[in-house]
Amino acid sequence: MRKLMSRCSVHQASYIDADVVGGVFRILFKQDSFGSNQSYLYDEFVNAIDTAPHEHTPFSLKARHSIATDYNKEIDAVQAEIGSILKIPDITLEPNFEKNYVALSQKKEDWKGNFGRASLEYFRDGFKYQLERQGFKDDEMLQEGFAEGVPSKKIVIRVVEKTKNGSYNDTIVEEGVVYLQTTPDNWWCNVSDIGSGLLDLL
């Protein structure tokens, strides 16, 4: 955005509104409502930014904020904890943000503001919890079994049209990669169950 500009617009604004035209953020208001309900601009701000063309990111402003504040700040610690449990310090946690964002775009609910947090919880409150629950932390045989069954050392969150077990989520191993799967309708539901049944896959 190059600059901020206020402008009267009888047709676009009820009291106050906003849009982005040609890289310029515009505050819109009716001629007879100048100075009225200025706090309403907050409701229009994010929508105006999100509907403007973006060249460098596929994510909405809310989704980017959630990734930056909810996911990026904590994921390194979660990765280290999972690596310690499995005795694989270089384990990779792949949030698959871009593909999952596209897959979730059909949802009507406002999920974007929690996109990063939900992704973090699939790893932290789901997969890590299940590893501990299933006894991987202190069992060398289980740790070795995981290393043999998942040679890629990669855990990926994947949104699919339908899970294989027909439930809220499931966990599968494909070509040495663990996929934590859920559907758009069940995104961020029953997160603690993700990774259950992992022992049966190794």
Side-chain angles (χ1 to χ4, degrees):
M1 307 303 167
R2 296 194 300 271
K3 59 183 178 180
L4 184 69
M5 179 171 62
S6 299
R7 173 172 295 183
C8 298
S9 176
V10 175
H11 301 292
Q12 295 189 51
S14 53
Y15 288 102
I16 192 167
D17 202 345
D19 67 7
V20 177
V21 176
V24 177
F25 180 81
R26 306 191 306 173
I27 299 173
L28 310 172
F29 51 87
K30 291 179 67 175
Q31 292 176 329
D32 59 354
S33 299
F34 180 67
S36 299
N37 297 329
Q38 295 179 17
S39 62
Y40 287 10
L41 181 61
Y42 175 82
D43 297 326
E44 308 301 334
F45 177 82
V46 173
N47 184 57
I49 299 298
D50 282 345
T51 55
H54 294 279
E55 296 180 359
H56 305 296
T57 177
F59 306 120
S60 71
L61 187 62
K62 286 184 178 180
R64 279 182 283 163
H65 181 265
S66 182
I67 291 170
T69 59
D70 297 326
Y71 186 88
N72 290 345
K73 289 185 177 181
E74 297 193 43
I75 193 59
D76 287 346
V78 175
Q79 185 273 338
E81 291 171 352
I82 291 176
S84 176
I85 292 170
L86 294 171
K87 294 296 186 288
I88 304 176
D90 57 342
I91 194 82
T92 298
L93 306 182
E94 174 54 63
N96 205 18
F97 283 138
E98 291 195 15
K99 290 183 179 179
N100 289 342
Y101 187 89
V102 172
L104 290 169
S105 62
Q106 62 185 280
K107 283 179 66 69
K108 295 180 180 179
E109 297 85 356
D110 184 12
W111 53 271
K112 296 176 183 178
N114 295 309
F115 186 50
R117 179 181 174 186
S119 299
L120 175 75
E121 290 187 4
Y122 275 110
F123 288 129
R124 184 190 65 194
D125 302 340
F127 189 69
K128 182 173 81 72
Y129 165 74
Q130 287 293 336
L131 288 176
E132 294 171 331
R133 187 170 183 269
Q134 295 173 50
F136 280 84
K137 186 173 183 179
D138 300 311
D139 193 312
E140 291 186 5
M141 289 187 63
L142 292 182
Q143 293 164 355
E144 291 174 1
F146 185 93
E148 292 174 1
V150 189
S152 70
K153 306 178 185 179
K154 183 180 293 187
I155 318 298
V156 181
I157 301 172
R158 183 162 67 181
V159 178
V160 295
E161 291 186 8
K162 184 178 180 180
T163 57
K164 288 191 174 183
N165 62 13
S167 185
Y168 290 97
N169 53 59
D170 64 8
T171 302
I172 65 172
V173 178
E174 289 182 354
E175 299 181 352
V177 178
V178 174
Y179 289 96
L180 311 178
Q181 299 192 142
T182 189
T183 66
D185 287 341
N186 294 314
W187 175 254
W188 208 19
C189 293
N190 293 5
V191 171
S192 63
D193 290 341
I194 203 79
S196 61
L198 180 62
L199 287 176
D200 298 330
L201 303 175
L202 301 176

